[in-house]
Amino acid sequence: MRRGLAFAVLAAAFGGGLAAAVHGSAAGITSLLILLPLGCATVFAAHAIVAARTRIGGLRRQFGLLAAVAAAQLAIAVGVFVELMFVSRHDAFFAVLVAGFTGTLSLWAGRLLGRRALTDVEAVRTTLGAVGQGRRDVRTNLAGHDELARLGADVDAMVSTLAFEERARRGLIASISHDLRTPLTSLRLLVDAIDDDLVADAAMRRDYLRRISTNVHALSALIEDLFELSRLESGDIRWTMERVMLDELVQETIDAMRPHADARAVAVHAELAPRLAAAQANPEQIQRVLFNLIQNAIRHTPADGSVVVRAAPATEGAIEIEVADTGTGIAGDKRDRVFEPFFRGTDHDTRSDDGAGLGLSISRAIIEAHGGRIWLADAASGTSVRFRLPSVAGQPAR
Ligand SMILES: Nc1ncnc2c1ncn2[C@@H]1O[C@H](COP(=O)(O)OP(=O)(O)OP(=O)(O)O)[C@@H](O)[C@H]1O
Ligand SMILES: [Mg+2]
């Protein structure tokens, strides 16, 4: 209110000053005496309308009332000036005519623009209402560059994101149900067979127990992976960071996986840069990432192929690790999707040798939680997955 009044006083002073400069001090004082109360009254009226806007009703009515105040101010100003200054009725008539005409046209122009703006507001409201009722195929489609168009674009982008996330969530639930159903169905069949006394001898019993155990193991591994992924994605990180010698960790992981690689006749070895700096990381989690990547590499590399794990300093303050294989590689159309949960290159029904499609998404969540990044690098043949971790600042290797 104070600012409004100060503005009205300033405007009146300017008007009075202008009148004094052009027509002398008497005209200046008269103008000031007319403009000052008029300006203050307008400011009071406008503030009263703004303060009561929620009670007045829609924007249409609020703008209408403000326009009425502006029109009343114009009418009073013209009326008073005409009464005080014009001697000829003829001149007064035309001054009122012109003021009335321009005032009406301005109100009309204001109303036209206001109507357009209100139509845009209505489009946003209708879209949000439909989104609230569950629809995701609606858009405001507002064109232009003003604030309302930007609001419409933001709403449209939000609805698109919601639609995308809902599709992804539905896909995720379908994948989870499918992967849970497969071992559960096997378990039910095995248990039914035992129940129906179909298991005749000890050897058959051992075989059934082994198959039950495999399915139970698959179920608990899947549930554990899912739990881990949802924890990581919600930012619930419970591990502690420490100084990790990545070269030692890489060697340890390779040694642990060697029997698995040997069984498939795949050679695995490390190429480690000398004097590699330590990383600030959680060793168990990084080992889990290395395990996922090396397991993938072995799984997709035919016999007599090889897997190499390289670790070297990257740009300032980071260490880069690469797991490269001479295997089948990943086709172009799948490269963008391998880090999505449940994305698998091939369709299969069990989690025996092939996985659930969670390894890379868990690895990405772990690396990102460390402040690093993981990506599929270009490779002439086979596959190369790389990730970067921040190294311990200012610490030489050993
Ligand atoms: N080294 C690789 N060579 C070829 N394809 C790969 C390689 N690594 C990953 N992929 C492809 O990416 C998909 C997703 O990998 P990810 O590790 O997320 O899942 P998975 O290995 O299928 O299952 P999980 O890791 O849960 O056991 C794989 O199914 C596979 O098609
Ligand atoms: Mg995997």
Side-chain angles (χ1 to χ4, degrees):
M1 171 83 89
R2 251 190 236 153
R3 276 187 174 186
L5 284 176
F7 177 67
V9 170
L10 264 178
F14 178 73
L18 200 65
V22 180
H23 292 293
S25 54
I29 290 170
T30 311
S31 299
L32 187 66
L33 287 177
I34 297 170
L35 294 179
L36 196 60
L38 199 59
C40 292
T42 307
V43 169
F44 279 123
H47 268 278
I49 292 171
V50 171
R53 45 185 287 251
T54 48
R55 269 172 286 133
I56 292 172
L59 281 176
R60 212 178 291 270
R61 196 178 280 185
Q62 292 173 30
F63 284 133
L65 265 178
L66 277 177
V69 168
Q73 186 203 34
L74 181 71
I76 294 169
V78 170
V80 171
F81 274 105
V82 159
E83 199 55 41
L84 287 180
M85 297 190 175
F86 284 101
V87 270
S88 140
R89 289 245 150 231
H90 172 270
D91 290 354
F93 171 79
F94 284 107
V96 171
L97 184 74
V98 169
F101 179 73
T102 49
T104 310
L105 274 188
S106 309
L107 280 179
W108 173 83
R111 196 161 170 266
L112 186 71
L113 187 67
R115 251 206 329 247
R116 287 271 159 84
L118 286 174
T119 311
D120 288 356
V121 170
E122 194 56 29
V124 172
R125 203 185 67 82
T126 314
T127 305
L128 286 176
V131 170
Q133 284 171 357
R135 285 189 56 188
R136 298 292 179 262
D137 57 342
V138 284
R139 300 290 182 274
T140 63
N141 291 326
L142 294 186
H145 304 285
D146 62 5
E147 287 81 353
L148 281 171
R150 283 207 293 274
L151 176 69
D154 286 350
V155 168
D156 290 351
M158 182 198 76
V159 183
S160 299
T161 310
L162 276 179
F164 174 79
E165 283 176 353
E166 265 178 28
R167 267 200 309 279
R169 199 169 52 238
R170 267 200 293 274
L172 201 64
I173 291 172
S175 302
I176 293 172
S177 324
H178 174 266
D179 276 34
L180 287 175
R181 206 167 42 218
T182 310
L184 277 175
T185 309
S186 304
L187 278 174
R188 207 187 57 229
L189 292 175
L190 290 165
V191 170
D192 282 353
I194 295 172
D195 199 34
D196 294 343
D197 289 330
L198 295 179
V199 184
D201 52 39
M204 203 170 170
R205 199 169 143 263
R206 268 200 305 282
D207 180 49
Y208 267 61
L209 280 177
R210 187 188 52 75
R211 282 155 66 184
I212 288 177
S213 158
T214 305
N215 282 298
V216 168
H217 181 78
L219 270 179
S220 51
L222 173 65
I223 289 166
E224 220 163 90
D225 278 357
L226 273 173
F227 185 62
E228 185 69 21
L229 186 65
S230 80
R231 235 166 36 83
L232 283 166
E233 286 189 342
S234 67
D236 177 11
I237 290 154
R238 296 182 190 169
W239 65 67
T240 51
M241 303 287 243
E242 55 189 82
R243 213 167 162 261
V244 179
M245 303 311 299
L246 283 176
D247 41 7
E248 285 171 11
L249 196 72
V250 166
Q251 200 56 61
E252 241 174 60
T253 317
I254 288 182
D255 291 344
M257 298 196 72
R258 201 172 301 284
H260 178 52
D262 288 348
R264 289 177 161 253
V266 174
V268 185
H269 70 280
E271 282 177 14
L272 306 167
R275 294 179 49 78
L276 198 64
Q280 188 67 16
N282 178 279
E284 284 84 31
Q285 297 299 324
I286 298 304
Q287 189 155 42
R288 181 163 189 188
V289 173
L290 284 168
F291 179 84
N292 282 340
L293 300 186
I294 300 172
Q295 187 192 44
N296 279 352
I298 295 173
R299 190 182 274 164
H300 297 283
T301 301
D304 296 331
S306 65
V307 175
V308 55
V309 185
R310 297 188 182 91
T315 47
E316 194 68 25
I319 301 173
E320 189 167 304
I321 298 201
E322 177 188 27
V323 178
D325 61 58
T326 58
T328 50
I330 299 174
D333 57 331
K334 293 177 182 153
R335 292 177 69 85
D336 289 343
R337 304 195 50 206
V338 288
F339 289 99
E340 288 173 16
F342 286 103
F343 178 80
R344 289 174 286 212
T346 49
D347 284 338
H348 52 81
D349 276 345
T350 57
R351 194 188 148 88
S352 50
D353 183 38
D354 287 336
L358 290 172
L360 284 178
S361 39
I362 290 175
S363 302
R364 180 172 66 179
I366 291 174
I367 296 298
E368 286 179 356
H370 278 80
R373 81 186 179 91
I374 183 167
W375 71 99
L376 214 55
D378 290 333
S381 66
T383 303
S384 159
V385 184
R386 295 188 191 179
F387 65 89
R388 275 187 190 184
L389 285 175
S391 56
V392 179
Q395 297 255 358
R398 291 185 180 86

Short mmCIF file of all heavy atoms in Angstrom, two decimals, residues 82-116:
data_model
loop_
_atom_site.label_atom_id
_atom_site.label_comp_id
_atom_site.label_asym_id
_atom_site.label_seq_id
_atom_site.Cartn_x
_atom_site.Cartn_y
_atom_site.Cartn_z
N VAL A 82 -12.62 19.44 -16.93
CA VAL A 82 -13.55 20.14 -17.83
C VAL A 82 -14.27 21.24 -17.06
O VAL A 82 -14.39 22.38 -17.51
CB VAL A 82 -14.54 19.13 -18.44
CG1 VAL A 82 -15.80 19.81 -18.93
CG2 VAL A 82 -13.86 18.37 -19.56
N GLU A 83 -14.73 20.89 -15.84
CA GLU A 83 -15.50 21.83 -15.04
C GLU A 83 -14.64 23.05 -14.66
O GLU A 83 -15.10 24.18 -14.70
CB GLU A 83 -15.96 21.09 -13.77
CG GLU A 83 -17.11 21.73 -13.03
CD GLU A 83 -18.32 21.95 -13.92
OE1 GLU A 83 -18.62 21.04 -14.73
OE2 GLU A 83 -18.92 23.03 -13.84
N LEU A 84 -13.37 22.77 -14.33
CA LEU A 84 -12.52 23.85 -13.83
C LEU A 84 -11.89 24.68 -14.94
O LEU A 84 -11.65 25.86 -14.77
CB LEU A 84 -11.40 23.28 -12.96
CG LEU A 84 -11.81 22.78 -11.58
CD1 LEU A 84 -10.59 22.25 -10.85
CD2 LEU A 84 -12.43 23.93 -10.78
N MET A 85 -11.58 24.08 -16.07
CA MET A 85 -10.70 24.77 -17.02
C MET A 85 -11.32 25.17 -18.34
O MET A 85 -10.82 26.08 -18.99
CB MET A 85 -9.49 23.90 -17.30
CG MET A 85 -8.69 23.70 -16.05
SD MET A 85 -7.14 22.94 -16.37
CE MET A 85 -6.40 22.99 -14.76
N PHE A 86 -12.35 24.46 -18.76
CA PHE A 86 -12.87 24.84 -20.08
C PHE A 86 -13.94 25.89 -19.97
O PHE A 86 -14.84 25.80 -19.15
CB PHE A 86 -13.45 23.61 -20.78
CG PHE A 86 -12.38 22.70 -21.32
CD1 PHE A 86 -12.00 21.56 -20.64
CD2 PHE A 86 -11.72 23.01 -22.49
CE1 PHE A 86 -11.02 20.74 -21.13
CE2 PHE A 86 -10.73 22.20 -22.98
CZ PHE A 86 -10.38 21.06 -22.30
N VAL A 87 -13.81 26.86 -20.81
CA VAL A 87 -14.84 27.90 -20.80
C VAL A 87 -15.93 27.56 -21.82
O VAL A 87 -17.12 27.73 -21.56
CB VAL A 87 -14.24 29.31 -21.10
CG1 VAL A 87 -13.84 29.97 -19.81
CG2 VAL A 87 -13.08 29.21 -22.07
N SER A 88 -15.50 27.01 -22.89
CA SER A 88 -16.48 26.74 -23.95
C SER A 88 -17.10 25.36 -23.80
O SER A 88 -16.40 24.36 -23.60
CB SER A 88 -15.75 26.85 -25.30
OG SER A 88 -16.18 25.87 -26.17
N ARG A 89 -18.44 25.27 -23.86
CA ARG A 89 -19.17 24.00 -23.79
C ARG A 89 -18.81 23.11 -24.97
O ARG A 89 -18.74 21.89 -24.83
CB ARG A 89 -20.70 24.26 -23.84
CG ARG A 89 -21.23 24.87 -22.60
CD ARG A 89 -22.19 23.89 -21.89
NE ARG A 89 -22.15 24.15 -20.46
CZ ARG A 89 -21.95 23.21 -19.54
NH1 ARG A 89 -21.76 21.98 -19.89
NH2 ARG A 89 -21.94 23.51 -18.26
N HIS A 90 -18.54 23.78 -26.06
CA HIS A 90 -18.18 23.08 -27.29
C HIS A 90 -16.89 22.27 -27.09
O HIS A 90 -16.83 21.08 -27.36
CB HIS A 90 -18.02 24.15 -28.39
CG HIS A 90 -17.48 23.61 -29.67
ND1 HIS A 90 -16.12 23.56 -29.94
CD2 HIS A 90 -18.09 23.09 -30.75
CE1 HIS A 90 -15.93 23.04 -31.13
NE2 HIS A 90 -17.13 22.74 -31.66
N ASP A 91 -15.83 22.93 -26.52
CA ASP A 91 -14.55 22.26 -26.29
C ASP A 91 -14.72 21.14 -25.26
O ASP A 91 -14.16 20.04 -25.40
CB ASP A 91 -13.50 23.25 -25.76
CG ASP A 91 -13.10 24.21 -26.87
OD1 ASP A 91 -13.56 24.01 -28.02
OD2 ASP A 91 -12.32 25.14 -26.58
N ALA A 92 -15.50 21.43 -24.20
CA ALA A 92 -15.72 20.44 -23.15
C ALA A 92 -16.37 19.18 -23.73
O ALA A 92 -15.97 18.05 -23.43
CB ALA A 92 -16.62 21.01 -22.05
N PHE A 93 -17.34 19.38 -24.58
CA PHE A 93 -18.05 18.25 -25.18
C PHE A 93 -17.08 17.31 -25.92
O PHE A 93 -17.06 16.11 -25.73
CB PHE A 93 -19.14 18.77 -26.14
CG PHE A 93 -19.75 17.66 -26.96
CD1 PHE A 93 -20.73 16.82 -26.40
CD2 PHE A 93 -19.33 17.42 -28.27
CE1 PHE A 93 -21.28 15.80 -27.15
CE2 PHE A 93 -19.88 16.39 -29.01
CZ PHE A 93 -20.87 15.58 -28.45
N PHE A 94 -16.19 17.95 -26.75
CA PHE A 94 -15.28 17.12 -27.54
C PHE A 94 -14.20 16.46 -26.68
O PHE A 94 -13.78 15.33 -26.94
CB PHE A 94 -14.68 17.93 -28.69
CG PHE A 94 -15.68 18.13 -29.78
CD1 PHE A 94 -16.28 19.36 -29.99
CD2 PHE A 94 -16.08 17.04 -30.57
CE1 PHE A 94 -17.24 19.53 -30.99
CE2 PHE A 94 -17.03 17.21 -31.55
CZ PHE A 94 -17.61 18.46 -31.76
N ALA A 95 -13.76 17.18 -25.62
CA ALA A 95 -12.77 16.57 -24.72
C ALA A 95 -13.36 15.32 -24.06
O ALA A 95 -12.72 14.25 -24.00
CB ALA A 95 -12.34 17.56 -23.65
N VAL A 96 -14.63 15.43 -23.58
CA VAL A 96 -15.29 14.28 -22.94
C VAL A 96 -15.50 13.16 -23.96
O VAL A 96 -15.29 11.98 -23.67
CB VAL A 96 -16.63 14.72 -22.30
CG1 VAL A 96 -17.41 13.50 -21.82
CG2 VAL A 96 -16.37 15.65 -21.14
N LEU A 97 -15.88 13.56 -25.17
CA LEU A 97 -16.12 12.56 -26.23
C LEU A 97 -14.86 11.74 -26.51
O LEU A 97 -14.89 10.51 -26.53
CB LEU A 97 -16.60 13.27 -27.50
CG LEU A 97 -16.98 12.33 -28.64
CD1 LEU A 97 -18.31 11.65 -28.35
CD2 LEU A 97 -17.04 13.07 -29.97
N VAL A 98 -13.73 12.47 -26.71
CA VAL A 98 -12.48 11.78 -27.04
C VAL A 98 -12.02 10.90 -25.88
O VAL A 98 -11.63 9.74 -26.05
CB VAL A 98 -11.38 12.79 -27.43
CG1 VAL A 98 -10.02 12.11 -27.52
CG2 VAL A 98 -11.73 13.44 -28.75
N ALA A 99 -12.13 11.46 -24.63
CA ALA A 99 -11.71 10.68 -23.46
C ALA A 99 -12.58 9.42 -23.32
O ALA A 99 -12.07 8.32 -23.07
CB ALA A 99 -11.81 11.52 -22.19
N GLY A 100 -13.88 9.58 -23.51
CA GLY A 100 -14.81 8.44 -23.41
C GLY A 100 -14.50 7.40 -24.46
O GLY A 100 -14.44 6.20 -24.17
N PHE A 101 -14.23 7.87 -25.67
CA PHE A 101 -13.97 6.97 -26.78
C PHE A 101 -12.69 6.15 -26.54
O PHE A 101 -12.68 4.92 -26.61
CB PHE A 101 -13.84 7.79 -28.07
CG PHE A 101 -13.55 6.95 -29.27
CD1 PHE A 101 -14.53 6.14 -29.83
CD2 PHE A 101 -12.29 6.96 -29.86
CE1 PHE A 101 -14.25 5.35 -30.94
CE2 PHE A 101 -12.01 6.18 -30.96
CZ PHE A 101 -12.99 5.38 -31.51
N THR A 102 -11.58 6.87 -26.20
CA THR A 102 -10.30 6.15 -26.00
C THR A 102 -10.38 5.24 -24.78
O THR A 102 -9.87 4.12 -24.79
CB THR A 102 -9.11 7.12 -25.84
OG1 THR A 102 -9.49 8.08 -24.87
CG2 THR A 102 -8.75 7.82 -27.13
N GLY A 103 -11.07 5.72 -23.74
CA GLY A 103 -11.22 4.89 -22.53
C GLY A 103 -11.95 3.60 -22.86
O GLY A 103 -11.53 2.51 -22.46
N THR A 104 -13.06 3.71 -23.61
CA THR A 104 -13.86 2.51 -23.95
C THR A 104 -13.02 1.54 -24.79
O THR A 104 -13.02 0.33 -24.55
CB THR A 104 -15.11 2.93 -24.74
OG1 THR A 104 -15.75 3.97 -24.04
CG2 THR A 104 -16.07 1.77 -24.92
N LEU A 105 -12.29 2.13 -25.77
CA LEU A 105 -11.47 1.25 -26.62
C LEU A 105 -10.38 0.54 -25.81
O LEU A 105 -10.10 -0.64 -26.02
CB LEU A 105 -10.81 2.06 -27.73
CG LEU A 105 -11.67 2.25 -28.98
CD1 LEU A 105 -10.84 2.89 -30.08
CD2 LEU A 105 -12.23 0.92 -29.49
N SER A 106 -9.78 1.28 -24.84
CA SER A 106 -8.73 0.65 -24.01
C SER A 106 -9.33 -0.48 -23.20
O SER A 106 -8.73 -1.55 -23.06
CB SER A 106 -8.10 1.66 -23.05
OG SER A 106 -7.71 2.78 -23.76
N LEU A 107 -10.53 -0.23 -22.64
CA LEU A 107 -11.19 -1.29 -21.86
C LEU A 107 -11.46 -2.51 -22.73
O LEU A 107 -11.23 -3.66 -22.33
CB LEU A 107 -12.52 -0.78 -21.28
CG LEU A 107 -12.40 0.07 -20.03
CD1 LEU A 107 -13.78 0.53 -19.59
CD2 LEU A 107 -11.74 -0.73 -18.91
N TRP A 108 -11.90 -2.23 -23.97
CA TRP A 108 -12.19 -3.34 -24.89
C TRP A 108 -10.93 -4.16 -25.19
O TRP A 108 -10.93 -5.38 -25.16
CB TRP A 108 -12.79 -2.77 -26.18
CG TRP A 108 -12.95 -3.83 -27.24
CD1 TRP A 108 -13.98 -4.70 -27.36
CD2 TRP A 108 -12.02 -4.14 -28.28
NE1 TRP A 108 -13.77 -5.54 -28.42
CE2 TRP A 108 -12.57 -5.22 -29.00
CE3 TRP A 108 -10.79 -3.60 -28.67
CZ2 TRP A 108 -11.92 -5.76 -30.10
CZ3 TRP A 108 -10.14 -4.16 -29.75
CH2 TRP A 108 -10.72 -5.23 -30.46
N ALA A 109 -9.79 -3.39 -25.44
CA ALA A 109 -8.53 -4.08 -25.76
C ALA A 109 -8.07 -4.92 -24.57
O ALA A 109 -7.64 -6.07 -24.72
CB ALA A 109 -7.47 -3.05 -26.15
N GLY A 110 -8.19 -4.32 -23.37
CA GLY A 110 -7.80 -5.04 -22.16
C GLY A 110 -8.63 -6.30 -21.98
O GLY A 110 -8.13 -7.37 -21.63
N ARG A 111 -9.92 -6.19 -22.26
CA ARG A 111 -10.83 -7.33 -22.08
C ARG A 111 -10.48 -8.44 -23.08
O ARG A 111 -10.50 -9.62 -22.74
CB ARG A 111 -12.25 -6.83 -22.31
CG ARG A 111 -13.27 -7.79 -21.81
CD ARG A 111 -14.62 -7.15 -21.59
NE ARG A 111 -15.58 -8.21 -21.33
CZ ARG A 111 -16.33 -8.77 -22.26
NH1 ARG A 111 -16.24 -8.37 -23.50
NH2 ARG A 111 -17.15 -9.74 -21.96
N LEU A 112 -10.14 -7.99 -24.32
CA LEU A 112 -9.79 -8.97 -25.36
C LEU A 112 -8.58 -9.80 -24.92
O LEU A 112 -8.59 -11.03 -24.97
CB LEU A 112 -9.46 -8.22 -26.66
CG LEU A 112 -9.21 -9.10 -27.87
CD1 LEU A 112 -10.50 -9.73 -28.34
CD2 LEU A 112 -8.59 -8.26 -29.00
N LEU A 113 -7.53 -9.10 -24.45
CA LEU A 113 -6.31 -9.78 -24.02
C LEU A 113 -6.62 -10.66 -22.81
O LEU A 113 -6.17 -11.82 -22.73
CB LEU A 113 -5.24 -8.74 -23.67
CG LEU A 113 -3.87 -9.31 -23.35
CD1 LEU A 113 -3.27 -9.93 -24.59
CD2 LEU A 113 -2.95 -8.22 -22.81
N GLY A 114 -7.39 -10.10 -21.87
CA GLY A 114 -7.76 -10.84 -20.66
C GLY A 114 -8.48 -12.13 -21.01
O GLY A 114 -8.23 -13.17 -20.41
N ARG A 115 -9.38 -12.05 -22.02
CA ARG A 115 -10.14 -13.25 -22.41
C ARG A 115 -9.22 -14.34 -22.93
O ARG A 115 -9.36 -15.51 -22.60
CB ARG A 115 -11.18 -12.88 -23.47
CG ARG A 115 -12.57 -12.93 -22.90
CD ARG A 115 -13.65 -13.20 -23.90
NE ARG A 115 -13.42 -12.73 -25.22
CZ ARG A 115 -14.12 -11.77 -25.83
NH1 ARG A 115 -15.06 -11.14 -25.16
NH2 ARG A 115 -13.89 -11.43 -27.08
N ARG A 116 -8.24 -13.90 -23.77
CA ARG A 116 -7.26 -14.88 -24.29
C ARG A 116 -6.50 -15.54 -23.15
O ARG A 116 -6.32 -16.75 -23.11
CB ARG A 116 -6.23 -14.18 -25.20
CG ARG A 116 -6.74 -13.77 -26.51
CD ARG A 116 -6.57 -14.93 -27.54
NE ARG A 116 -7.47 -14.74 -28.65
CZ ARG A 116 -7.20 -13.96 -29.69
NH1 ARG A 116 -6.06 -13.35 -29.77
NH2 ARG A 116 -8.07 -13.83 -30.66
#
